[in-house]
Amino acid sequence: MGDKIYVPYQEAESEFVEKRSRFIGHIWPVDSEDQAQELIRRVKKQHYDARHNCWCYLLGGTVVRYSDDGEPQGTAGQPMLAVLQRENVTNAVCVVTRYFGGILLGAGGLVRAYSHTCALALDAARVCQMHPTERWLFEVAYPLWDRVQHALKSLPARLVGTDFAAAVSFELDMKAADTERVLAELTRVTDGRVESLKEEERFAPWEEDTP
């Protein structure tokens, strides 16, 4: 997959039961360690009565953290981490909560249960690719707005905001690779009567791109 960056598209939760032990997986996209740690604390508070709240997170290519939270060493946090790494996912935090069912699973059983729960949560969140993304601000006269709306239905751009004042202002997110095409089509459908300004450049997830 080269240098492509994959992240969870959204927050998700999963549940798995093995020999009466209940495993609840939670996963989120994150941008910082502070955010990851806050989400871990939130789950621990929510499931304060659980036997274990095991977790892992990755940020970029450098920050990797995990915890077995009382489970035998190497049976929870690391296997969960391995699921994310196998899918080339980063900027993600996963917490798996275990309510003990009274039957010991053994080391192999624990590894399988924690890995499976993490994988279920990741599937529910969906994985998408990060792309260099630009946000542009446009302005057109009211009579041209219908043409623009029609054009946007077939363009690789996301409408993120509109403002109806003296003219129609609207913001679009688009992959940097698609900018030229989007600008050319909006210029064409408005006969050149569109004003544009690039506001921001960043990496952002695009749902349709999956590994």
Side-chain angles (χ1 to χ4, degrees), residues 81-153:
L81 187 67
V83 170
L84 302 182
Q85 291 174 325
R86 186 171 64 240
E87 298 297 329
N88 288 285
V89 168
T90 189
N91 284 41
V93 56
C94 182
V95 184
V96 175
T97 299
R98 181 190 183 191
Y99 285 92
F100 184 54
I103 300 174
L104 296 175
L105 301 183
L110 288 172
V111 168
R112 286 190 295 273
Y114 279 100
S115 298
H116 185 60
T117 307
C118 178
L120 288 175
L122 188 60
D123 284 345
R126 301 194 305 278
V127 173
C128 60
Q129 188 179 343
M130 299 282 277
H131 285 273
T133 298
E134 297 177 358
R135 177 164 294 181
W136 285 71
L137 175 65
F138 297 91
E139 186 176 281
V140 294
Y142 277 89
L144 298 171
W145 179 232
D146 281 346
R147 293 192 211 172
V148 169
Q149 284 183 295
H150 183 73
L152 290 178
K153 292 177 183 177

Side-chain angles (χ1 to χ4, degrees), residues 20-24 46-47 49-51 97-101:
R20 297 207 298 266
S21 274
R22 182 180 170 214
F23 295 85
I24 306 168
Q46 179 184 354
H47 295 284
D49 54 341
R51 179 71 66 92
T97 299
R98 181 190 183 191
Y99 285 92
F100 184 54

Side-chain angles (χ1 to χ4, degrees), residues 38-55:
E38 175 56 34
L39 290 166
I40 292 165
R41 284 192 294 270
R42 185 195 302 176
V43 174
K44 287 184 173 182
K45 184 177 180 181
Q46 179 184 354
H47 295 284
Y48 67 90
D49 54 341
R51 179 71 66 92
H52 306 281
N53 286 289
C54 306
W55 53 266

Side-chain angles (χ1 to χ4, degrees), residues 146-210:
D146 281 346
R147 293 192 211 172
V148 169
Q149 284 183 295
H150 183 73
L152 290 178
K153 292 177 183 177
S154 58
L155 285 174
R158 297 192 289 227
L159 182 65
V160 293
T162 53
D163 182 46
F164 299 95
V168 181
S169 299
F170 59 100
E171 287 181 307
L172 297 179
D173 278 353
M174 63 195 85
K175 298 174 192 172
D178 293 327
T179 299
E180 187 175 339
R181 174 187 166 191
V182 173
L183 293 178
E185 182 62 11
L186 291 178
T187 299
R188 186 188 71 80
V189 300
T190 61
D191 300 320
R193 290 174 291 168
V194 58
E195 295 184 26
S196 59
L197 174 69
K198 182 162 68 174
E199 295 184 306
E200 183 184 2
E201 295 181 20
R202 69 192 192 285
F203 271 87
W206 289 82
E207 185 180 8
E208 73 277 10
D209 294 296
T210 53

Side-chain angles (χ1 to χ4, degrees), residues 53-95:
N53 286 289
C54 306
W55 53 266
C56 69
Y57 61 82
L58 308 92
L59 287 160
T62 54
V63 177
V64 178
R65 305 277 188 272
Y66 58 88
S67 168
D68 295 314
D69 193 37
E71 291 283 29
Q73 186 175 354
T75 62
Q78 281 182 294
M80 291 158 55
L81 187 67
V83 170
L84 302 182
Q85 291 174 325
R86 186 171 64 240
E87 298 297 329
N88 288 285
V89 168
T90 189
N91 284 41
V93 56
C94 182
V95 184

